[in-house]
Amino acid sequence: MTGTGTSAATTRNATSTWRNWAGNVSSRPTRTFSPASVEELAEAIRTAAADGLRVKAVGTGHSFTSVATTDGLLIRPELLTGIREIDRTAGTVTVAAGTPLRRLNEALAREGLSLTNMGDITDQTVAGATSTGTHGTGRDSASIAAQIRALELVTADCSVLTCSPTENADIFASARIGLGALGVVTAITFAVEPVFLLTAREEPMPFDRVTADFDALVAENEHFEFYWFPHTGNCNTKRNNRSAGPAAPPGAVSGWVEDELLSNGLFQVACSVGRAVPRTIPAIARISSRALSARMYTDIPYKVFTSPRRVRFVEMEYALPREAAVGAL
Ligand SMILES: Cc1cc2nc3c(=O)[nH]c(=O)nc-3n(C[C@H](O)[C@H](O)[C@H](O)COP(=O)(O)OP(=O)(O)OC[C@H]3O[C@@H](n4cnc5c(N)ncnc54)[C@H](O)[C@@H]3O)c2cc1C
Protein backbone atom coordinates (compact mmCIF):
# COMPACT_ATOMS: atom_id res chain seq x y z
CA MET A 1 0.00 0.00 0.00
CA THR A 2 1.22 3.48 -0.72
CA GLY A 3 0.83 6.76 1.16
CA THR A 4 -0.06 6.61 4.87
CA GLY A 5 -1.30 3.10 4.29
CA THR A 6 2.27 1.76 4.12
CA SER A 7 2.84 1.93 7.90
CA ALA A 8 4.17 -1.46 9.04
CA ALA A 9 2.08 -1.20 12.19
CA THR A 10 -1.17 -0.94 10.31
CA THR A 11 -0.75 -2.92 7.09
CA ARG A 12 -1.15 -6.67 7.40
CA ASN A 13 0.23 -9.55 5.45
CA ALA A 14 -1.42 -9.43 2.05
CA THR A 15 -2.04 -13.18 2.12
CA SER A 16 -3.62 -13.43 5.58
CA THR A 17 -7.10 -14.92 5.73
CA TRP A 18 -9.91 -13.15 7.58
CA ARG A 19 -12.46 -15.29 9.48
CA ASN A 20 -15.70 -14.36 11.22
CA TRP A 21 -16.42 -15.18 14.90
CA ALA A 22 -18.45 -18.29 14.11
CA GLY A 23 -15.75 -19.61 11.75
CA ASN A 24 -18.24 -20.32 8.93
CA VAL A 25 -17.10 -17.43 6.68
CA SER A 26 -13.61 -16.52 5.52
CA SER A 27 -12.11 -14.25 2.90
CA ARG A 28 -8.71 -13.32 1.60
CA PRO A 29 -8.44 -9.53 1.21
CA THR A 30 -5.69 -8.24 -1.04
CA ARG A 31 -4.66 -6.06 1.90
CA THR A 32 -5.89 -4.96 5.30
CA PHE A 33 -5.49 -1.64 7.03
CA SER A 34 -6.29 -0.28 10.50
CA PRO A 35 -6.61 3.51 10.16
CA ALA A 36 -5.97 5.58 13.29
CA SER A 37 -7.76 8.67 11.96
CA VAL A 38 -10.34 9.77 9.42
CA GLU A 39 -7.51 11.24 7.33
CA GLU A 40 -5.61 7.92 7.24
CA LEU A 41 -8.81 6.15 6.28
CA ALA A 42 -9.55 8.58 3.43
CA GLU A 43 -6.01 8.18 2.12
CA ALA A 44 -6.28 4.38 2.22
CA ILE A 45 -9.57 4.51 0.26
CA ARG A 46 -8.01 6.88 -2.29
CA THR A 47 -5.06 4.51 -2.78
CA ALA A 48 -7.31 1.45 -3.03
CA ALA A 49 -9.46 3.16 -5.68
CA ALA A 50 -6.34 4.04 -7.68
CA ASP A 51 -5.31 0.38 -7.51
CA GLY A 52 -8.75 -0.80 -8.63
CA LEU A 53 -9.59 -2.42 -5.29
CA ARG A 54 -12.98 -2.47 -3.63
CA VAL A 55 -13.13 -1.46 0.04
CA LYS A 56 -15.05 -2.98 2.96
CA ALA A 57 -15.01 -2.05 6.63
CA VAL A 58 -15.27 -4.83 9.18
CA GLY A 59 -16.09 -4.82 12.90
CA THR A 60 -15.34 -7.80 15.13
CA GLY A 61 -16.70 -10.30 12.59
CA HIS A 62 -19.75 -11.34 14.61
CA SER A 63 -21.98 -11.50 11.54
CA PHE A 64 -22.86 -15.04 10.51
CA THR A 65 -23.06 -14.12 6.82
CA SER A 66 -20.43 -12.98 4.31
CA VAL A 67 -21.63 -9.36 4.62
CA ALA A 68 -18.22 -8.19 5.91
CA THR A 69 -15.99 -10.03 3.42
CA THR A 70 -13.93 -8.54 0.59
CA ASP A 71 -11.21 -9.55 -1.83
CA GLY A 72 -10.02 -5.92 -1.94
CA LEU A 73 -9.03 -3.64 0.94
CA LEU A 74 -10.34 -4.67 4.37
CA ILE A 75 -10.57 -1.77 6.82
CA ARG A 76 -10.14 -2.99 10.40
CA PRO A 77 -11.57 -1.10 13.42
CA GLU A 78 -8.95 -1.53 16.18
CA LEU A 79 -7.48 1.99 16.08
CA LEU A 80 -10.72 3.90 15.45
CA THR A 81 -11.95 3.64 19.04
CA GLY A 82 -12.87 5.77 22.03
CA ILE A 83 -15.44 8.28 23.25
CA ARG A 84 -15.23 11.56 21.34
CA GLU A 85 -17.77 13.59 23.32
CA ILE A 86 -20.54 13.34 25.89
CA ASP A 87 -23.14 16.12 25.60
CA ARG A 88 -25.30 16.02 28.72
CA THR A 89 -27.54 18.84 27.55
CA ALA A 90 -28.39 17.08 24.30
CA GLY A 91 -28.37 13.65 25.99
CA THR A 92 -25.92 12.17 23.49
CA VAL A 93 -22.56 10.42 23.28
CA THR A 94 -20.34 10.51 20.19
CA VAL A 95 -18.11 7.48 19.84
CA ALA A 96 -15.54 6.33 17.27
CA ALA A 97 -16.96 3.64 14.99
CA GLY A 98 -14.62 0.81 15.99
CA THR A 99 -15.35 1.08 19.71
CA PRO A 100 -16.63 -2.20 21.13
CA LEU A 101 -20.09 -1.92 22.73
CA ARG A 102 -18.54 -3.21 25.98
CA ARG A 103 -16.26 -0.20 26.17
CA LEU A 104 -19.11 2.19 25.36
CA ASN A 105 -21.36 0.64 28.02
CA GLU A 106 -18.65 0.77 30.68
CA ALA A 107 -17.73 4.37 29.85
CA LEU A 108 -21.39 5.45 29.95
CA ALA A 109 -21.98 3.68 33.28
CA ARG A 110 -19.04 5.56 34.80
CA GLU A 111 -20.76 8.79 33.69
CA GLY A 112 -24.13 7.70 35.11
CA LEU A 113 -25.57 7.18 31.59
CA SER A 114 -26.84 4.29 29.48
CA LEU A 115 -28.18 3.30 26.08
CA THR A 116 -31.92 2.58 26.25
CA ASN A 117 -31.80 -0.86 24.63
CA MET A 118 -29.28 -3.32 23.20
CA GLY A 119 -28.75 -6.91 22.05
CA ASP A 120 -27.43 -9.97 23.77
CA ILE A 121 -23.65 -9.40 23.82
CA THR A 122 -21.21 -6.49 23.98
CA ASP A 123 -18.35 -7.76 21.81
CA GLN A 124 -19.38 -6.07 18.56
CA THR A 125 -18.17 -2.67 17.40
CA VAL A 126 -20.73 0.14 17.47
CA ALA A 127 -20.57 0.49 13.67
CA GLY A 128 -20.80 -3.25 13.01
CA ALA A 129 -23.72 -3.68 15.41
CA THR A 130 -25.76 -0.82 14.01
CA SER A 131 -24.90 -1.55 10.36
CA THR A 132 -26.83 -4.85 10.51
CA GLY A 133 -29.68 -3.69 12.72
CA THR A 134 -28.54 -5.51 15.86
CA HIS A 135 -31.44 -5.58 18.32
CA GLY A 136 -32.60 -7.07 21.57
CA THR A 137 -36.19 -7.26 22.71
CA GLY A 138 -38.44 -4.31 23.50
CA ARG A 139 -42.12 -3.53 23.70
CA ASP A 140 -41.48 0.23 23.66
CA SER A 141 -37.82 0.59 22.57
CA ALA A 142 -36.17 -0.41 19.30
CA SER A 143 -32.78 -1.53 17.95
CA ILE A 144 -29.40 0.11 18.62
CA ALA A 145 -29.55 1.80 15.20
CA ALA A 146 -32.81 3.48 16.26
CA GLN A 147 -30.83 5.26 18.98
CA ILE A 148 -28.45 6.91 16.46
CA ARG A 149 -28.82 10.68 16.32
CA ALA A 150 -25.97 11.41 13.84
CA LEU A 151 -23.10 9.65 12.13
CA GLU A 152 -19.92 10.46 10.24
CA LEU A 153 -19.27 8.61 7.00
CA VAL A 154 -16.30 8.47 4.61
CA THR A 155 -17.67 7.75 1.14
CA ALA A 156 -16.05 6.13 -1.90
CA ASP A 157 -14.88 9.51 -3.21
CA CYS A 158 -13.21 10.16 0.19
CA SER A 159 -15.71 12.85 1.24
CA VAL A 160 -16.32 13.02 4.97
CA LEU A 161 -20.09 13.45 5.49
CA THR A 162 -21.90 14.33 8.69
CA CYS A 163 -25.36 12.79 8.52
CA SER A 164 -28.37 13.44 10.76
CA PRO A 165 -32.11 14.04 10.36
CA THR A 166 -31.24 17.64 9.39
CA GLU A 167 -27.99 17.13 7.42
CA ASN A 168 -27.71 14.66 4.51
CA ALA A 169 -30.98 13.24 5.82
CA ASP A 170 -31.49 10.63 3.05
CA ILE A 171 -28.02 9.21 3.55
CA PHE A 172 -28.56 9.22 7.31
CA ALA A 173 -31.75 7.18 6.94
CA SER A 174 -29.93 4.51 4.90
CA ALA A 175 -26.56 4.57 6.63
CA ARG A 176 -27.95 3.81 10.09
CA ILE A 177 -28.34 0.20 8.89
CA GLY A 178 -26.01 0.48 5.89
CA LEU A 179 -24.59 -3.09 5.76
CA GLY A 180 -21.20 -1.54 4.99
CA ALA A 181 -22.47 -0.61 1.52
CA LEU A 182 -22.57 3.19 1.73
CA GLY A 183 -19.04 3.94 2.89
CA VAL A 184 -17.04 3.62 6.09
CA VAL A 185 -18.72 4.92 9.23
CA THR A 186 -16.11 6.66 11.40
CA ALA A 187 -18.19 7.97 14.32
CA ILE A 188 -21.70 7.58 15.70
CA THR A 189 -23.72 9.84 17.99
CA PHE A 190 -26.18 7.90 20.15
CA ALA A 191 -29.02 9.14 22.35
CA VAL A 192 -28.33 8.25 25.98
CA GLU A 193 -30.35 8.55 29.18
CA PRO A 194 -29.52 8.60 32.89
CA VAL A 195 -28.53 5.08 33.94
CA PHE A 196 -31.47 3.06 35.28
CA LEU A 197 -32.08 -0.30 36.91
CA LEU A 198 -33.73 -3.32 35.32
CA THR A 199 -35.11 -6.31 37.16
CA ALA A 200 -34.64 -9.55 35.25
CA ARG A 201 -36.91 -12.49 35.96
CA GLU A 202 -35.70 -15.71 34.39
CA GLU A 203 -38.05 -18.67 34.61
CA PRO A 204 -38.46 -22.05 32.93
CA MET A 205 -41.95 -22.29 31.42
CA PRO A 206 -43.78 -24.94 29.33
CA PHE A 207 -43.93 -24.17 25.60
CA ASP A 208 -47.74 -24.48 25.68
CA ARG A 209 -48.00 -21.81 28.39
CA VAL A 210 -45.58 -19.46 26.62
CA THR A 211 -47.57 -19.67 23.39
CA ALA A 212 -50.98 -19.47 25.11
CA ASP A 213 -49.96 -16.45 27.20
CA PHE A 214 -47.65 -14.83 24.61
CA ASP A 215 -49.74 -11.69 24.05
CA ALA A 216 -50.09 -11.06 27.79
CA LEU A 217 -46.39 -11.73 28.44
CA VAL A 218 -45.47 -9.17 25.76
CA ALA A 219 -48.07 -6.61 26.90
CA GLU A 220 -47.16 -6.85 30.58
CA ASN A 221 -43.37 -6.63 30.23
CA GLU A 222 -41.06 -4.02 28.77
CA HIS A 223 -38.87 -6.86 27.46
CA PHE A 224 -39.94 -10.48 27.03
CA GLU A 225 -37.94 -13.24 25.35
CA PHE A 226 -37.91 -17.01 25.41
CA TYR A 227 -35.80 -19.89 24.15
CA TRP A 228 -37.49 -23.15 23.18
CA PHE A 229 -35.51 -26.38 23.49
CA PRO A 230 -36.44 -28.46 20.41
CA HIS A 231 -37.52 -32.09 21.13
CA THR A 232 -39.00 -30.90 24.46
CA GLY A 233 -42.02 -28.97 25.65
CA ASN A 234 -39.78 -26.68 27.70
CA CYS A 235 -38.70 -23.05 27.34
CA ASN A 236 -36.60 -20.62 29.31
CA THR A 237 -38.18 -17.19 29.58
CA LYS A 238 -36.71 -13.81 30.54
CA ARG A 239 -38.67 -10.69 31.53
CA ASN A 240 -36.84 -7.38 32.02
CA ASN A 241 -38.61 -4.37 33.52
CA ARG A 242 -37.40 -1.03 34.83
CA SER A 243 -37.10 -0.98 38.60
CA ALA A 244 -36.89 1.62 41.37
CA GLY A 245 -34.20 -0.57 42.96
CA PRO A 246 -32.27 -1.27 45.01
CA ALA A 247 -29.69 -3.01 42.81
CA ALA A 248 -29.45 -6.74 43.58
CA PRO A 249 -26.98 -8.30 41.11
CA PRO A 250 -26.65 -12.10 40.94
CA GLY A 251 -24.34 -13.46 43.65
CA ALA A 252 -20.77 -14.12 42.52
CA VAL A 253 -21.08 -17.90 42.87
CA SER A 254 -24.63 -18.34 41.55
CA GLY A 255 -23.88 -15.91 38.69
CA TRP A 256 -20.80 -17.94 37.75
CA VAL A 257 -22.73 -21.23 37.91
CA GLU A 258 -25.54 -19.93 35.65
CA ASP A 259 -23.59 -17.73 33.21
CA GLU A 260 -20.27 -19.52 32.94
CA LEU A 261 -20.60 -23.14 34.09
CA LEU A 262 -24.08 -23.96 32.71
CA SER A 263 -24.50 -21.45 29.86
CA ASN A 264 -20.96 -21.76 28.52
CA GLY A 265 -18.85 -24.61 30.01
CA LEU A 266 -21.37 -27.47 30.19
CA PHE A 267 -23.26 -26.09 27.17
CA GLN A 268 -20.05 -26.43 25.12
CA VAL A 269 -19.71 -30.06 26.21
CA ALA A 270 -23.39 -30.73 25.40
CA CYS A 271 -23.05 -29.16 21.93
CA SER A 272 -19.87 -31.10 21.16
CA VAL A 273 -21.49 -34.41 22.16
CA GLY A 274 -24.63 -33.60 20.14
CA ARG A 275 -22.55 -32.73 17.11
CA ALA A 276 -20.47 -35.92 17.35
CA VAL A 277 -23.48 -38.20 18.07
CA PRO A 278 -26.64 -36.54 16.70
CA ARG A 279 -29.02 -39.16 18.12
CA THR A 280 -28.16 -37.90 21.64
CA ILE A 281 -29.60 -34.45 20.85
CA PRO A 282 -33.17 -35.02 22.13
CA ALA A 283 -31.84 -36.33 25.46
CA ILE A 284 -29.32 -33.48 25.72
CA ALA A 285 -32.10 -30.96 25.00
CA ARG A 286 -34.26 -32.50 27.73
CA ILE A 287 -31.44 -32.35 30.31
CA SER A 288 -30.36 -28.83 29.24
CA SER A 289 -33.89 -27.49 29.44
CA ARG A 290 -34.06 -28.52 33.10
CA ALA A 291 -30.59 -27.29 34.07
CA LEU A 292 -31.29 -23.56 34.39
CA SER A 293 -33.44 -22.55 37.34
CA ALA A 294 -35.66 -19.53 38.08
CA ARG A 295 -33.84 -16.43 39.33
CA MET A 296 -34.38 -12.69 39.74
CA TYR A 297 -31.78 -9.94 39.85
CA THR A 298 -31.65 -6.16 39.47
CA ASP A 299 -28.77 -4.31 37.83
CA ILE A 300 -27.83 -1.58 35.35
CA PRO A 301 -29.02 -2.20 31.76
CA TYR A 302 -26.00 -3.72 30.01
CA LYS A 303 -25.47 -6.19 32.86
CA VAL A 304 -29.06 -7.40 32.50
CA PHE A 305 -29.45 -7.32 28.72
CA THR A 306 -26.13 -8.96 27.82
CA SER A 307 -24.39 -12.25 28.65
CA PRO A 308 -21.03 -13.84 27.85
CA ARG A 309 -21.39 -16.16 24.82
CA ARG A 310 -18.30 -18.30 24.43
CA VAL A 311 -19.81 -21.34 22.72
CA ARG A 312 -19.43 -20.80 18.96
CA PHE A 313 -22.66 -21.16 17.03
CA VAL A 314 -24.27 -20.25 13.70
CA GLU A 315 -27.58 -18.47 13.72
CA MET A 316 -30.24 -17.33 11.28
CA GLU A 317 -33.09 -14.96 11.87
CA TYR A 318 -36.53 -14.24 10.46
CA ALA A 319 -38.45 -10.99 10.98
CA LEU A 320 -42.19 -11.48 11.41
CA PRO A 321 -44.99 -9.28 12.68
CA ARG A 322 -45.40 -10.03 16.39
CA GLU A 323 -49.00 -11.18 15.82
CA ALA A 324 -47.68 -13.97 13.57
CA ALA A 325 -45.06 -15.29 16.03
CA VAL A 326 -47.09 -18.01 17.74
CA GLY A 327 -48.63 -19.22 14.49
CA ALA A 328 -45.21 -19.41 12.84
CA LEU A 329 -43.78 -21.39 15.76
C1 LIG B 1 -22.50 -14.45 19.95
C2 LIG B 1 -23.32 -13.52 19.11
C3 LIG B 1 -24.41 -12.88 19.67
C4 LIG B 1 -25.19 -12.00 18.89
N1 LIG B 1 -26.28 -11.42 19.46
C5 LIG B 1 -27.09 -10.64 18.71
C6 LIG B 1 -28.27 -10.05 19.25
O1 LIG B 1 -28.57 -10.20 20.43
N2 LIG B 1 -29.07 -9.33 18.42
C7 LIG B 1 -28.76 -9.14 17.09
O2 LIG B 1 -29.53 -8.49 16.39
N3 LIG B 1 -27.63 -9.65 16.56
C8 LIG B 1 -26.80 -10.39 17.33
N4 LIG B 1 -25.65 -10.91 16.78
C9 LIG B 1 -25.27 -10.48 15.43
C10 LIG B 1 -24.28 -9.30 15.50
O3 LIG B 1 -24.71 -8.31 16.42
C11 LIG B 1 -24.16 -8.62 14.13
O4 LIG B 1 -23.74 -9.56 13.19
C12 LIG B 1 -23.22 -7.41 14.09
O5 LIG B 1 -23.26 -6.85 12.80
C13 LIG B 1 -21.79 -7.77 14.43
O6 LIG B 1 -21.03 -6.61 14.61
P1 LIG B 1 -19.48 -6.62 14.22
O7 LIG B 1 -18.84 -5.43 14.87
O8 LIG B 1 -18.89 -7.93 14.53
O9 LIG B 1 -19.57 -6.37 12.66
P2 LIG B 1 -19.11 -7.32 11.44
O10 LIG B 1 -19.81 -8.63 11.52
O11 LIG B 1 -17.64 -7.34 11.39
O12 LIG B 1 -19.69 -6.48 10.21
C14 LIG B 1 -21.08 -6.38 10.04
C15 LIG B 1 -21.43 -5.39 8.94
O13 LIG B 1 -21.10 -4.09 9.40
C16 LIG B 1 -20.30 -3.43 8.43
N5 LIG B 1 -19.40 -2.53 9.13
C17 LIG B 1 -18.59 -2.79 10.18
N6 LIG B 1 -17.90 -1.68 10.52
C18 LIG B 1 -18.28 -0.71 9.66
C19 LIG B 1 -17.92 0.66 9.50
N7 LIG B 1 -17.02 1.26 10.30
N8 LIG B 1 -18.49 1.36 8.51
C20 LIG B 1 -19.40 0.78 7.69
N9 LIG B 1 -19.78 -0.51 7.79
C21 LIG B 1 -19.22 -1.24 8.78
C22 LIG B 1 -19.58 -4.55 7.71
O14 LIG B 1 -19.15 -4.15 6.42
C23 LIG B 1 -20.67 -5.60 7.65
O15 LIG B 1 -21.53 -5.32 6.57
C24 LIG B 1 -24.85 -11.77 17.54
C25 LIG B 1 -23.72 -12.40 16.98
C26 LIG B 1 -22.97 -13.25 17.76
C27 LIG B 1 -21.78 -13.94 17.13
Side-chain angles (χ1 to χ4, degrees), residues 150-169:
L151 55 82
E152 184 183 86
L153 185 71
V154 179
T155 57
D157 66 359
C158 299
S159 311
V160 181
L161 300 184
T162 302
C163 307
S164 72
T166 52
E167 202 175 352
N168 297 306

Side-chain angles (χ1 to χ4, degrees), residues 250-263 295:
V253 174
S254 64
W256 181 84
V257 168
E258 293 274 338
D259 297 328
E260 288 296 341
L261 183 67
L262 295 177
S263 301
R295 63 172 178 164

Side-chain angles (χ1 to χ4, degrees), residues 2-325:
T2 58
T4 49
T6 50
S7 154
T10 52
T11 305
R12 293 181 181 221
N13 185 342
T15 58
S16 67
T17 299
W18 176 87
R19 284 196 171 75
N20 69 341
W21 177 89
N24 63 319
V25 174
S26 63
S27 70
R28 198 170 264 257
T30 301
R31 54 192 185 227
T32 65
F33 182 54
S34 304
S37 66
V38 174
E39 294 72 31
E40 278 192 15
L41 170 65
E43 179 58 27
I45 293 174
R46 194 169 293 119
T47 309
D51 293 346
L53 295 178
R54 287 183 294 187
V55 178
K56 190 78 150 183
V58 72
T60 48
H62 277 66
S63 291
F64 300 99
T65 67
S66 58
V67 71
T69 59
T70 182
D71 56 5
L73 169 64
L74 189 71
I75 301 290
R76 298 195 58 103
E78 289 85 1
L79 302 181
L80 274 183
T81 60
I83 307 287
R84 281 198 191 170
E85 187 193 5
I86 291 176
D87 183 337
R88 288 179 182 277
T89 313
T92 57
V93 59
T94 300
V95 61
T99 308
L101 281 167
R102 176 180 296 111
R103 213 170 131 194
L104 173 61
N105 285 326
E106 289 170 355
L108 288 175
R110 275 198 301 277
E111 298 289 333
L113 299 168
S114 176
L115 294 174
T116 297
N117 199 0
M118 61 197 79
D120 190 37
I121 58 162
T122 57
D123 299 312
Q124 315 96 315
T125 60
V126 294
T130 54
S131 290
T132 60
T134 295
H135 57 88
T137 57
R139 184 189 61 197
D140 314 313
S141 52
S143 69
I144 312 180
Q147 298 166 67
I148 299 180
R149 293 293 170 267
L151 55 82
E152 184 183 86
L153 185 71
V154 179
T155 57
D157 66 359
C158 299
S159 311
V160 181
L161 300 184
T162 302
C163 307
S164 72
T166 52
E167 202 175 352
N168 297 306
D170 289 354
I171 299 174
F172 176 68
S174 310
R176 287 198 299 177
I177 305 185
L179 299 171
L182 289 184
V184 180
V185 177
T186 44
I188 299 180
T189 300
F190 291 102
V192 291
E193 59 174 306
V195 72
F196 54 95
L197 291 171
L198 282 173
T199 294
R201 181 172 166 198
E202 296 176 4
E203 188 184 359
M205 204 181 275
F207 180 86
D208 290 343
R209 188 178 147 208
V210 173
T211 47
D213 294 351
F214 183 70
D215 291 338
L217 288 162
V218 170
E220 289 163 10
N221 293 286
E222 289 162 21
H223 303 268
F224 173 68
E225 67 191 69
F226 68 97
Y227 301 81
W228 169 53
F229 292 82
H231 307 287
T232 79
N234 304 331
C235 297
N236 269 338
T237 64
K238 186 173 182 184
R239 285 167 261 192
N240 299 332
N241 288 288
R242 290 195 187 213
S243 155
V253 174
S254 64
W256 181 84
V257 168
E258 293 274 338
D259 297 328
E260 288 296 341
L261 183 67
L262 295 177
S263 301
N264 282 295
L266 287 178
F267 185 51
Q268 175 70 74
V269 174
C271 290
S272 302
V273 172
R275 188 160 210 181
V277 191
R279 71 188 146 77
T280 61
I281 288 174
I284 289 172
R286 275 195 301 278
I287 295 165
S288 304
S289 71
R290 291 195 206 107
L292 296 171
S293 50
R295 63 172 178 164
M296 276 178 82
Y297 50 94
T298 301
D299 214 331
I300 60 173
Y302 81 88
K303 295 190 178 176
V304 171
F305 284 131
T306 69
S307 314
R309 300 265 178 239
R310 297 189 221 295
V311 180
R312 304 281 154 149
F313 60 86
V314 182
E315 179 178 294
M316 64 195 292
E317 188 167 307
Y318 295 90
L320 299 170
R322 188 183 289 149
E323 312 78 73

